[in-house]
Amino acid sequence: MPHLLTLDGLARRELVDLLDLAQRFADTPGDSGLLRGIAVCTLFFEPSTRTRMSFQLAAQRLGAHVLNFDVSTSSARKGETALDTMRNLEAMGVRGFVVRHQDDGAVAALAAVALPRTALLNAGDGRSAHPTQGLLDMLTLRQAKGADFSRLKVAIVGDVKHSRVARSDLHALRTLGTGEIRVCGPVSLLPDDGTLDGCRVTHDFDEALEDVDAVMMLRLQRERMEEGLIGSLDEYHADYGLTTTRLRRAAPDAIVMHPGPINRGVEITDEVADGPQSLILRQVANGVAVRMAALARLLG
Ligand code: CP
């Protein structure tokens, strides 16, 4: 595995190995010298809190030199391309690039022309893929519900159409043999391009929640309002906001997940986001372990 670009097509064995390695890092606090002397650069052309910080922490915990590329103060502002940026950093000896980009396929395009020793890790491209988010979501599910996904009913709810998180989660859930995957959202926010093949699709949130073991809420991308794809925030919350009352439709021990950042009071209430069934901060903690595993696998 020279790069980690997507979970689409990743073999089950490979995926489970990554989760096992991440679990070992999660169980073993403290640092390792596995990447000592190796330089890793976080190259983010879009904003991020969780992914960027946890990749940096993961690389530091593995003993790597970590370079934080700041687009706003870099020569990207003078028009330098992402490719030239990567080539210059490669010339300095950087071996690992953690890249987030607004364009679908941008990270794969860089990987295609990178030096043989270079490893690219996709930290989210367009609406295509966010593989480490998919992995940390699976690790969180596995910790909470066990390794047999065939027994699980999982609902993914919200703006699936524009969500790279949803796509990576769907690939991973299928690969792990999830018993039933339900997808729910307004017609305007669900893709009709085959992404949801094999899923039980509904626009009725109450129906989607019935007896599920896990609810994966997605961020409402507010810019979609400007595009006229949804009505008001109040309407969206009424139809697709996860409240304590609604959550009672799920299995009593159902878990609630959200990749962040959260629009509190829109797709999820404070009571649910901060409540006993929420594993949202566990997801964040698992992000460090998963990213250590990905960096170790590609660069170690
Ligand atoms: N979940 C996620 O990708 O969050 P950030 O955009 O803050 O990295």
Side-chain angles (χ1 to χ4, degrees):
M1 194 166 72
H3 309 287
L4 179 60
L5 303 175
T6 175
L7 299 183
D8 188 10
L10 191 69
R12 182 190 173 101
R13 186 68 259 157
E14 196 101 47
L15 201 157
V16 171
D17 279 353
L18 275 168
L19 296 183
D20 290 345
L21 183 56
Q23 188 63 58
R24 286 208 290 281
F25 282 125
D27 292 340
T28 319
D31 297 343
S32 126
L34 200 63
L35 298 191
R36 189 168 293 124
I38 292 178
V40 174
C41 180
T42 55
L43 197 56
F44 278 54
F45 295 92
E46 271 191 346
S48 166
T49 296
R50 281 147 290 271
T51 313
R52 185 183 189 125
M53 294 298 116
S54 57
F55 258 119
Q56 288 178 3
L57 195 53
Q60 284 166 2
R61 284 191 54 191
L62 292 169
H65 300 296
V66 185
L67 282 71
N68 178 18
F69 179 83
D70 180 0
V71 174
S72 67
T73 57
S74 76
S75 289
R77 290 292 297 271
K78 302 178 208 163
E80 188 164 38
T81 64
L83 175 56
D84 278 334
T85 303
M86 182 182 77
R87 286 199 167 129
N88 279 269
L89 289 162
E90 279 180 320
M92 295 176 205
V94 174
R95 289 255 336 268
F97 290 89
V98 178
V99 184
R100 172 169 286 189
H101 202 283
Q102 60 278 10
D103 294 339
D104 294 304
V107 189
L110 290 174
V113 294
L115 294 175
R117 280 162 43 92
T118 297
L120 273 285
L121 296 100
N122 185 356
D125 66 317
R127 60 178 75 175
S128 295
H130 194 347
T132 54
Q133 180 73 43
L135 290 169
L136 73 88
D137 288 346
M138 295 310 112
L139 185 64
T140 307
L141 255 175
R142 194 174 81 162
Q143 290 169 347
K145 297 289 171 191
D148 182 3
F149 279 47
S150 69
R151 296 182 301 107
L152 297 183
K153 293 193 269 293
V154 177
I156 300 179
V157 182
D159 181 2
V160 181
K161 188 172 193 168
H162 303 97
S163 175
R164 53 197 176 207
V165 173
R167 282 175 179 73
S168 286
D169 281 340
L170 284 167
H171 289 309
L173 287 168
R174 287 190 186 108
T175 302
L176 293 173
T178 306
E180 185 178 332
I181 306 172
R182 300 179 193 171
V183 176
C184 177
V187 177
S188 58
L189 296 184
L190 295 188
D192 55 4
D193 56 0
T195 300
L196 306 184
D197 286 355
C199 301
R200 181 173 146 194
V201 178
T202 174
H203 308 296
D204 180 337
F205 192 12
D206 290 336
E207 180 192 325
L209 282 174
E210 210 60 56
D211 205 29
V212 287
D213 301 293
V215 194
M216 305 174 93
M217 299 302 298
L218 298 174
R219 179 175 75 90
L220 176 67
Q221 303 187 16
R222 288 172 187 241
E223 55 274 29
R224 308 302 165 206
M225 287 186 68
E226 286 152 29
E227 295 169 18
L229 291 178
I230 58 166
S232 69
L233 290 181
D234 285 345
E235 283 167 351
Y236 185 85
H237 180 70
D239 291 341
Y240 297 105
L242 186 58
T243 61
T244 307
T245 307
R246 251 195 186 125
L247 185 55
R248 289 197 194 104
R249 291 181 175 272
D253 60 349
I255 60 167
V256 175
M257 299 165 67
H258 189 304
I262 301 172
N263 294 305
R264 289 176 176 267
V266 181
E267 68 263 6
I268 191 167
T269 61
D270 288 342
E271 291 73 25
V272 177
D274 303 328
Q277 288 168 270
S278 170
L279 293 188
I280 294 171
L281 291 179
R282 172 94 70 87
Q283 289 172 265
V284 177
N286 281 335
V288 179
V290 156
R291 286 160 182 142
M292 287 178 79
L295 287 165
R297 184 54 52 88
L298 295 182
L299 292 164

